């Protein structure tokens, strides 16, 4: 379902204003405290940001992919930790339920995820299973009308504040997709404990930690879709969407970085003139702007293709690879344009330089995107 043009324009304007007037001024404090103030969380809920991609039947805004990426391009113009708070509810923390949940699971969880009352979290990665997701070891063993979960999940975004975990666990030993199932585990279930919040390079305020299952008993009704063996494929489908979302975020962040770099370059004078007048500085601005345009075009094209119901595994991986690497280069040039000022925390580019490094790693590293692109391309041409 697509919004009418006027509603979409109003939504984009409202998000843009919220980012400029409320989030950007709160970036510095967030970087120091690592806490998103409760009034900002309340405003995010009010704007409907937690339920962007959830159907209006469950209280969300029901945006299609093109609309979602356009909103995320706005949210990307400030510290990524703000987007991260709602990001799991919009994406990997809710989409397993949207794609494969039973009616009962959808009505139980989606309204609370859409409103932001409940934070969803996606638990796939483990200490020994990162890129090789299929080698995960967390087990779920059937015991009467329950399953018993054992294992450790690592670097789980929003786990410290999550009320619901989509947990990929092994229900059979053989190495194949059908051995992995997904369980919806509520925080507070006995046997589920959290590790200490990870100390990260950047993205202060976006929290991650280990999630440990020690004989954690969940009712059989917690099995996503009521069916064993579909967890891996569901996780991959969730990531296909998530990778487009992250790509849109990179587009927004690159735009912010170019704007900051241009502002600095027009104010900073050397050799008697603003450094923006030097062609070597202009070259950095030009390369960044051209790459931003390419990434934006790719993301919008892939989103429209997805909205037409086409498979976008290849396109999502192309976007994730290109957009995340692109924003890394743009951040590097923004620091370079700022010179010494870019290396001190007074200017936002220093913080963004560290923040964007994660984009090339989570939801599939650049190398995993290359692997997916190559596989899909070879499949298509052979
Ligand atoms: N959509 C739907 N199904 C998919 C899929 C997709 N995008 N990608 C794979 N599958 C299915 C395959 O069709 C296959 O199904 P069958 O068993 O029915 O044939 C099954 O899943 C296994 O796929 P594959 O053989 O490709 O699995 P691999 O172990 O080779 O791994 C990669 C595939 C590397 C792509 C996967 O492990 C991956 O994405 N790793 C990165 C994980 C990640 O992003 N982690 C980030 C943490 S989450 S923030």
């Amino acid at each position: 379902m697509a919004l009418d043009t006027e509603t979409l324009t109003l939504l984009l304007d409202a998000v843009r204003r919220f980012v400029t007037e409320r989030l950007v001024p709160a970036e510095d404090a967030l970087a120091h405290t690592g806490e998103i103030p409760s009034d900002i969380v309340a405003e995010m809920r009010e704007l409907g940001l937690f339920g962007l991609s959830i159907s209006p039947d469950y209280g969300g805004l029901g945006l299609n992919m093109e609309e979602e990426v356009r909103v995320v391009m706005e949210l990307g113009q400030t510290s990524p930790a703000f987007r991260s708070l709602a990001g799991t509810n919009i994406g990997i923390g809710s989409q397993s339920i949207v794609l494969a949940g039973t009616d009962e699971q959808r009505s139980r969880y989606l309204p609370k995820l859409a409103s932001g009352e409940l934070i969803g979290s996606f638990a796939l990665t483990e200490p020994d299973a990162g890129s090789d997701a299929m080698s995960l070891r967390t087990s779920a063993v059937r015991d009467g009308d329950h399953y018993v979960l054992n294992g450790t999940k690592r670097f789980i975004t929003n786990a410290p504040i999550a009320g619901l975990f989509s947990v990929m666990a092994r229900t059979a030993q053989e190495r194949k997709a059908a051995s992995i199932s997904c369980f919806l585990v509520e925080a507070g279930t006995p046997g589920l404990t959290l590790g200490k919040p990870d100390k990260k390079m950047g993205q202060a305020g976006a929290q991650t930690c280990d999630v440990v299952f020690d004989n954690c008993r969940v009712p059989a009704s917690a099995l996503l879709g009521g069916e064993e063996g579909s967890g891996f494929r569901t996780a991959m489908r969730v990531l296909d969407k998530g990778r487009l979302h992250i790509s849109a975020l990179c587009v927004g962040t690159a735009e912010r970085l170019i704007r900051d770099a241009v502002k600095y370059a027009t104010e900073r004078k050397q050799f008697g003139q603003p450094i923006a007048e030097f062609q070597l500085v202009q070259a950095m601005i030009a390369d960044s702007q051209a790459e931003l345009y390419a990434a934006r075009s790719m993301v919008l094209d892939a989103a429209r293709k997805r909205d037409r119901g086409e498979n976008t595994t290849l396109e999502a991986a192309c976007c994730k690879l290109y957009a995340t690497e692109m924003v890394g280069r743009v951040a590097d040039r923004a620091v370079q344009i700022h010179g010494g000022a870019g290396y001190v925390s007074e200017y936002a580019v220093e913080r963004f330089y560290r923040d964007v490094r994660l984009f090339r790693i989570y939801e599939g590293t650049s190398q995993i995107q290359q692997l997916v692109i190559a596989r899909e391309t070879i499949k298509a041409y052979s």
Side-chain angles (χ1 to χ4, degrees), residues 75-299:
L75 286 174
Q77 315 233 358
T78 182
S79 292
F82 291 119
R83 191 279 335 172
S84 183
L85 178 66
T88 51
N89 282 28
I90 303 167
I92 57 177
S94 72
Q95 290 305 303
S96 311
I97 307 173
V98 169
L99 289 171
T102 61
D103 286 346
E104 202 270 326
Q105 288 166 340
R106 288 188 180 134
S107 7
R108 183 179 171 94
Y109 296 119
L110 291 180
K112 288 183 184 164
L113 289 167
S115 70
E117 177 186 341
L118 185 70
I119 296 294
S121 193
F122 180 75
L124 173 67
T125 300
E126 298 185 356
D128 294 316
S131 290
D132 182 9
M134 205 189 280
S135 68
L136 65 85
R137 288 208 217 131
T138 295
S139 62
V141 176
R142 180 103 195 199
D143 180 21
D145 54 4
H146 284 75
Y147 282 88
V148 181
L149 273 67
N150 279 289
T152 297
K153 297 292 179 178
R154 179 142 296 170
F155 306 137
I156 304 304
T157 300
N158 282 342
I161 52 169
L164 181 69
F165 297 88
S166 302
V167 183
M168 305 307 147
R170 187 165 283 290
T171 40
Q173 284 313 309
E174 207 184 328
R175 189 192 157 98
K176 58 177 185 180
S179 297
I180 294 169
S181 305
C182 177
F183 293 86
L184 303 174
V185 186
E186 296 180 8
T189 306
L192 185 166
T193 52
L194 301 177
K196 289 197 187 114
D198 297 315
K199 290 184 182 162
K200 303 186 274 61
M201 175 193 281
Q203 300 215 5
Q207 305 186 41
T208 65
C209 72
D210 279 8
V211 183
V212 182
F213 300 93
D214 181 9
N215 287 323
C216 177
R217 282 175 79 80
V218 296
S221 60
L223 177 64
L224 183 78
E227 176 193 23
E228 281 188 16
S230 58
F232 188 83
R233 282 181 221 106
T234 302
M236 292 300 117
R237 287 167 67 206
V238 166
L239 285 169
D240 276 350
K241 177 172 185 294
R243 288 167 183 169
L244 275 181
H245 179 107
I246 297 297
S247 306
L249 184 60
C250 294
V251 167
T253 309
E255 193 171 331
R256 161 68 184 272
L257 284 162
I258 295 172
R259 200 177 317 117
D260 279 13
V262 167
K263 182 171 185 298
Y264 186 83
T266 49
E267 287 167 2
R268 169 79 173 165
K269 287 196 174 125
Q270 287 294 281
F271 304 101
Q273 63 192 64
I275 60 169
E277 288 174 20
F278 292 113
Q279 289 181 337
L280 292 179
V281 171
Q282 290 177 359
M284 287 191 274
I285 294 170
D287 285 349
S288 292
Q289 186 65 16
E291 292 183 23
L292 166 64
Y293 180 58
R296 181 195 299 281
S297 306
M298 285 171 81
V299 174

